[in-house]
């Protein structure tokens, strides 16, 4: 087992992480824990799953995301006497494109988040090894990096007795996102918390969980083409200035989207999701076939369709699974015939739990 | 009684009103009524009250408004054999600045809305006279014109047996707003429907009532200085282009505002209300003392404060009446000492009913 890529000397840990630790979280009454005594591991091995996420959600660009059940990454962490105390190493990466990911924990999403959690917990007596099962393809617009970070943060926290709050785990995972794809919590927050989460502000971090009613059905049709849509390029396509009419329109649709989520109105949610006049019109033309895919989804009965995250995955919403599969078929066909891209589909429900420990 | 300023020959009524009549309203399952037979009056006199409204609500600019209890306009309509059948006349205007308002129903907010309702109902055998009690000052930012229109629309509809839906009454009142202050439903919709209303779109008109939980307390502190802030001037102050960061910020706050309303979170509502980075920063400097008034409100305990409508009224929110009066005092002082303006205050609850018939 390689232990050469390990890191973290707690004595050099920046205080910045701790300072940012005293966050004001509106979604919870819990007060941040200031860890003074190093906790001991409560077990030797923890396995955690973190779900895929759909961020942006049309007019929810950059502040709203939700978690998707049954798709995600798995991280296992174990106490490893071969690893220098207070350090971590990545022992294994499997699943999607394992060779594209660094085993240096400082350059790996799961590694960075795990390091942050260890910092927050002041771990200096125990070394850990981490293995990552990539259930999500990279750069697909499904929050792949966020899921790795969320699973790692939760796994390390569970190993040491769950001392950190959900909000602190979001902050730890944000460190990872910051390095990999920008300081955005609209993937990591729903991946950790489950459901829909609105990012109210970053300074201080304010997370608003938006409860979709338990009795309502909501299916996401996620169609991922074989196409690379780098976040940087998709972000460069955005306008820097927005005309007032479009601004007011998107704001109203953001409000309608939030209201639809809280009221369990899937038709309204789909309509609002589809209504973005600012981001989607700039990004869709960069993904071959996307506009046709959206039309196909809606013609096949979807309540709405947009780009998931920065793409290339297209996400449509519907309230029953069978129609979801039919919509998926039409979307795959459109990617193939108009965009000349092969695509694969998943029809999944909302994940209401967020990142969690799973049996070893 | 003057009957010379009457109008409306049903034979020349534009079909446009009827065409726009088939609206898709998401807030109601009711289907628009296509009036074929002229209804008869069910009584000879109806008196209706319509509440004041706070539109814009910070990041809710141009699409979100709410109704305020205990402040508003009253319209009485009665069957008047002295008025030519199918026509209407304004017999009396009392209350705030009656001399500033036209008695020509084609140029009076109440008159225009009453005419529209008569058109929609195809009234051609009965003449009406209308009297208007202006409870709201003109141009105050409290939806004065909308309240007149809403009260008139409801009164005429009640007189003829309530054939029109709430949504049709909004459309009738919008005709009035269009002529007076622009085609915006964020005052008329809450004045007619009560509570908070989100305008999802205009074509087709989509109104989303946002239910503020019944068990929660919400007080508006409304402080109106003696100052004219013409809507046109306040609108001209707005930027035409908005930078992406401010756009995303305001969108997220619009979402947070909607979530706070639906969740009954008055602290969150105040915070979101106060957070506008686009409209308020441009308009506040045009109202002497407004920035100091906002600071004073928040220092005195308000959860948030912004400009009501296009101003000059400042609106703060709080969850108890006593603190509301204290906040009002501080806001009045700030208008006086910083803005050199006298001001008067009202501390009122949310109106949850909207425009309604009241005893004669």
């Amino acid at each position: 087992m390689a232990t050469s890529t390990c890191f973290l000397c707690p004595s050099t840990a920046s205080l910045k992480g701790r300072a940012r630790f005293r966050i004001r979280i509106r979604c919870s009454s819990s007060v941040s824990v200031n860890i003074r005594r190093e906790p001991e591991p409560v077990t030797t091995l923890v396995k955690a799953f973190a779900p895929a996420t759909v961020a942006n959600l049309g007019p929810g660009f950059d502040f709203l995301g939700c978690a998707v059940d049954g798709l995600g990454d798995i991280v296992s962490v174990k106490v490893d006497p071969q690893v220098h105390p207070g350090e971590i190493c990545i022992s294994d990466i499997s699943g999607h494109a394992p060779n594209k990911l660094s085993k240096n924990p400082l350059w790996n999403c799961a590694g960075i988040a795990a390091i942050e959690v260890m910092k927050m917990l002041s771990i200096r007596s125990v070394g850990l090894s981490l293995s990552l099962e990539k259930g999500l393809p990279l750069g697909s617009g499904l929050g792949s990096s966020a899921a790795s970070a969320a699973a790692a943060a939760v796994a390390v926290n569970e190993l040491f007795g769950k001392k950190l709050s959900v909000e602190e785990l979001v902050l730890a995972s944000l460190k990872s996102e910051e390095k990999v794809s920008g300081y955005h919590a609209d993937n990591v927050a729903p991946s950790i918390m489950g459901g829909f989460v609105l990012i109210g502000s970053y300074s201080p971090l304010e997370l608003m969980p938006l409860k979709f009613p338990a009795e309502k059905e909501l299916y996401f049709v996620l169609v991922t083409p074989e196409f690379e849509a780098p976040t940087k390029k998709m972000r460069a396509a955005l306008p820097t200035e927005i005309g007032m009419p479009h601004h007011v329109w998107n704001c109203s649709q953001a409000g309608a989207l939030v209201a639809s989520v809280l009221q369990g109105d899937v038709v309204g949610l789909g309509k609002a999701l589809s209504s973005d006049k600012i981001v989607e019109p700039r990004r869709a033309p960069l993904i071959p076939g996307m506009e046709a895919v959206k039309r196909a989804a809606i013609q096949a009965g979807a309540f709405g369709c947009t780009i998931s995250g920065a793409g290339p995955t297209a996400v449509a919403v519907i309230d029953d699974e069978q129609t979801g599969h039919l919509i998926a078929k039409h979307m795959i066909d459109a990617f193939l015939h108009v965009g000349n891209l092969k695509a694969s589909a998943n029809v999944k429900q909302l994940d209401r739990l967020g990142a969690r420990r799973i049996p070893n």
Side-chain angles (χ1 to χ4, degrees), chain A:
Chain A
M1 182 188 297
T3 56
S4 58
T5 55
C6 297
F7 90 104
L8 189 61
C9 168
S11 61
T12 60
S14 155
L15 280 173
K16 203 182 156 200
R18 302 269 188 95
R20 288 232 332 274
F21 214 20
R22 278 184 213 95
I23 51 177
R24 182 171 158 240
I25 302 285
R26 285 174 52 205
C27 59
S28 163
S29 58
S30 71
V31 176
S32 299
V33 183
N34 275 308
I35 307 296
R36 291 206 178 84
R37 240 184 80 196
E38 181 185 357
E40 291 191 5
V42 295
T43 183
T44 52
L45 172 65
V46 166
K47 203 168 184 177
F49 167 83
T53 44
V54 177
N56 294 343
L57 289 164
F61 176 68
D62 255 12
F63 68 86
L64 192 61
C66 65
V68 175
D69 192 38
L71 290 175
D73 287 0
I74 293 172
V75 167
S76 302
V77 287
K78 69 173 180 181
V79 175
D80 191 340
Q82 289 185 276
V83 179
H84 193 276
E87 297 189 355
I88 195 167
C89 77
I90 295 177
S91 55
D92 187 53
I93 302 175
S94 59
H96 278 283
N99 297 330
K100 281 194 173 177
L101 294 172
S102 172
K103 277 195 174 177
N104 181 336
L106 292 172
W107 293 101
N108 178 290
C109 304
I112 299 166
I115 288 167
E116 279 303 309
V117 171
M118 289 180 81
K119 271 191 199 177
M120 287 175 167
L121 292 170
S122 304
I123 303 300
R124 42 186 180 264
S125 311
V126 176
L128 301 180
S129 66
L130 180 155
S131 74
L132 169 61
E133 295 172 48
K134 283 298 304 172
L136 296 174
L138 311 184
S140 57
L142 289 169
S144 172
S145 61
S148 294
V154 165
V156 175
N157 190 40
E158 289 271 349
L159 191 79
F160 290 99
K162 298 174 74 169
K163 304 290 182 201
L164 301 183
S165 68
V166 158
E167 299 79 15
E168 290 160 341
L169 297 176
V170 171
L171 277 182
S173 303
L174 256 172
K175 274 279 178 189
S176 166
E177 287 289 83
E178 185 177 18
K179 206 153 189 175
V180 177
S181 61
Y183 198 75
H184 295 284
D186 46 347
N187 287 112
V188 287
S191 188
I192 287 175
M193 299 163 73
F196 288 86
V197 182
L198 186 154
I199 317 302
S201 84
Y202 284 93
S203 181
L205 184 64
E206 289 190 356
L207 308 172
M208 295 180 81
L210 305 177
K211 190 171 161 46
F212 185 78
E215 71 280 9
K216 296 276 186 171
E217 299 276 4
L218 170 59
Y219 288 87
F220 298 94
V221 183
L222 301 157
V223 180
T224 307
E226 291 177 1
F227 180 76
E228 204 181 340
T231 303
K232 206 173 259 182
K233 188 180 166 194
M234 298 308 273
R235 203 158 265 277
L238 300 177
T240 52
E241 299 276 320
I242 293 136
M244 182 60 99
H246 278 186
H247 163 69
V248 170
W249 171 258
N250 262 42
C251 267
S252 72
Q253 299 311 298
L257 183 61
V258 168
S260 299
V261 168
L262 290 170
Q263 294 169 339
D265 172 6
V266 186
V267 175
L269 195 159
K271 195 173 155 52
L273 193 86
S274 273
S275 68
D276 171 22
K277 289 187 178 176
I278 295 170
V279 175
E280 188 192 305
R282 295 290 191 106
R283 286 180 166 178
L286 304 181
I287 303 167
M290 179 58 81
E291 286 146 333
V293 167
K294 178 172 180 164
R295 281 195 302 276
I298 289 167
Q299 274 169 14
F303 298 144
C305 180
T306 189
I307 301 166
S308 178
T313 295
V315 55
V317 292
I318 189 69
D319 59 359
D320 83 285
E321 192 172 4
Q322 204 180 338
T323 312
H325 287 290
L326 176 75
I327 293 165
K329 193 187 160 299
H330 284 267
M331 291 169 75
I332 288 172
D333 284 353
F335 261 132
L336 189 62
H337 295 131
V338 183
N340 201 26
L341 295 174
K342 282 188 190 169
S344 58
N346 283 286
V347 179
K348 299 289 181 186
Q349 285 187 285
L350 182 69
D351 177 292
R352 297 171 188 263
L353 300 174
R356 63 264 191 187
R357 187 174 179 177
I358 56 172
N360 296 334

